[in-house]
């Protein structure tokens, strides 16, 4: 195994049932990775998570040791399958594109507003300038982003359900359900098993809804 450039606090995942299940899941789903690692979770409070790092063929899978301690081998597999679901459905790249598109749209709206006298007068400002336009825009934009947030939450939930469905089909929904229950119980503040996803979205479906969806998938497949 390539351990060159191994980060501090990381060690390769030792042989055993978890390693066997991970290997099998990766080959089943055609996921290329450059090693599976365990990270000392005490460096990051009690959060039980798994994530990917790197790009292309240099991707590495990292489990927090707390996750491996809290979950059974089947549950670890199901959590990883959920992460793979995000990857396979290109959720991360979609998140990047969405936020880039929203920034561009914001700048376009700003450029348009700047050219209109009513933008200034409507907000009680007499003289128009780029400087004033920026200040006014920063002041009024929360009103618009407020109305956008339900749409963003909807996208986020949709992605979570897609990743859950992927995991249910690859590893069985009931293992993900029991993993979710354990993780929610252990980390009251972490409402999702993946940290990577929370970097882009801060809204996640409640556990109860995810569990109901997973049970429906399992019953449908039975
Ligand atoms: Zn997720």
């Amino acid at each position: 195994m390539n351990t060159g450039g191994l980060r501090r606090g990381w060690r390769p995942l030792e042989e055993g049932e978890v390693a066997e299940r991970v290997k099998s899941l990766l080959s089943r789903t055609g996921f290329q990775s450059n090693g599976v690692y365990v990270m000392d979770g005490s460096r990051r409070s009690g959060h039980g998570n798994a994530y990917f790092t790197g790009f292309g063929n240099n991707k590495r899978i990292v489990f927090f040791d707390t996750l491996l301690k809290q979950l059974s081998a089947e549950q670890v597999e199901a959590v990883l399958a959920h992460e793979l679901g995000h990857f396979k459905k290109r959720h991360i790249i979609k998140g990047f594109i969405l936020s880039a598109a929203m920034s561009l749209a914001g700048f376009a709206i700003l450029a348009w507003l700047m050219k209109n006298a009513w933008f200034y007068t409507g907000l009680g400002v007499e003289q128009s300038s780029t400087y004033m336009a920026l200040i006014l825009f920063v002041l009024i934009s929360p009103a618009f982003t407020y109305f956008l947030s339900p749409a963003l939450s909807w996208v986020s939930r949709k992605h979570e359900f897609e990743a859950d469905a992927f995991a249910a089909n690859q590893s069985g929904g009931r293992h993900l359900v029991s993993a979710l229950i354990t993780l929610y119980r252990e980390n009251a503040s972490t409402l999702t098993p993946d940290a990577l996803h929370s970097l882009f979205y801060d809204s996640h479906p409640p556990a109860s809804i995810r569990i109901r969806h997973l049970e429906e998938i399992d019953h449908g497949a039975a």
Side-chain angles (χ1 to χ4, degrees):
M1 189 178 286
N2 174 22
T3 54
L6 196 60
R7 289 193 209 160
R8 226 147 56 99
W10 285 23
R11 57 185 160 82
L13 177 66
E14 60 265 29
E15 296 294 317
E17 195 190 345
V18 173
E20 287 306 313
R21 285 186 170 274
V22 166
K23 214 163 86 185
S24 161
L25 175 68
L26 294 180
S27 70
R28 258 193 339 265
T29 53
F31 186 88
Q32 301 283 334
S33 96
N34 189 20
V36 183
Y37 298 89
V38 180
M39 187 184 176
D40 182 359
S42 63
R43 287 163 186 269
R44 216 180 131 272
S45 70
H47 292 241
N49 287 319
Y51 67 94
F52 303 128
T53 176
F55 291 97
N57 291 328
N58 199 33
K59 286 187 299 295
R60 287 164 176 185
I61 294 166
V62 186
F63 291 112
F64 285 98
D65 60 354
T66 43
L67 182 96
L68 299 180
K69 274 182 210 137
Q70 287 167 359
L71 303 182
S72 71
E74 289 141 320
Q75 290 171 331
V76 170
E77 181 194 323
V79 168
L80 179 60
H82 172 96
E83 298 301 326
L84 287 172
H86 280 308
F87 183 82
K88 289 278 175 187
K89 304 278 181 183
R90 301 181 177 278
H91 292 161
I92 305 305
I93 191 82
K94 282 177 186 170
F96 272 125
I97 291 168
L98 187 65
S99 60
M102 285 188 354
S103 303
L104 279 176
F107 284 124
I109 292 168
L110 173 62
W112 174 70
L113 288 174
M114 276 171 67
K115 284 185 265 176
N116 289 284
W118 56 255
F119 174 57
Y120 304 93
T121 54
L123 291 164
V125 177
E126 290 308 321
Q127 93 266 34
S128 57
S129 70
T130 308
Y131 174 70
M132 191 50 76
L134 271 173
I135 290 175
L136 293 176
F137 190 67
V138 168
L139 289 174
I140 62 162
S141 57
F144 294 102
T145 50
Y146 177 79
F147 289 106
L148 272 176
S149 63
L152 293 177
S153 297
W154 180 83
V155 171
S156 165
R157 283 171 179 234
K158 185 170 170 282
H159 287 178
E160 286 306 314
F161 293 139
E162 284 175 5
D164 281 349
F166 184 89
N169 289 323
Q170 290 298 332
S171 306
R174 69 197 167 91
H175 299 306
L176 188 56
V177 168
S178 59
L180 278 176
I181 291 169
T182 304
L183 291 174
Y184 279 69
R185 199 182 291 142
E186 302 279 338
N187 318 300
S189 61
T190 310
L191 294 181
T192 174
D194 52 311
L196 188 63
H197 201 245
S198 334
L199 284 176
F200 301 98
Y201 302 109
D202 55 11
S203 173
H204 292 86
S208 55
I209 298 178
R210 287 180 66 186
I211 289 166
R212 207 180 61 223
H213 276 238
L214 284 163
E215 281 169 348
E216 279 167 15
I217 293 169
D218 264 15
H219 292 151

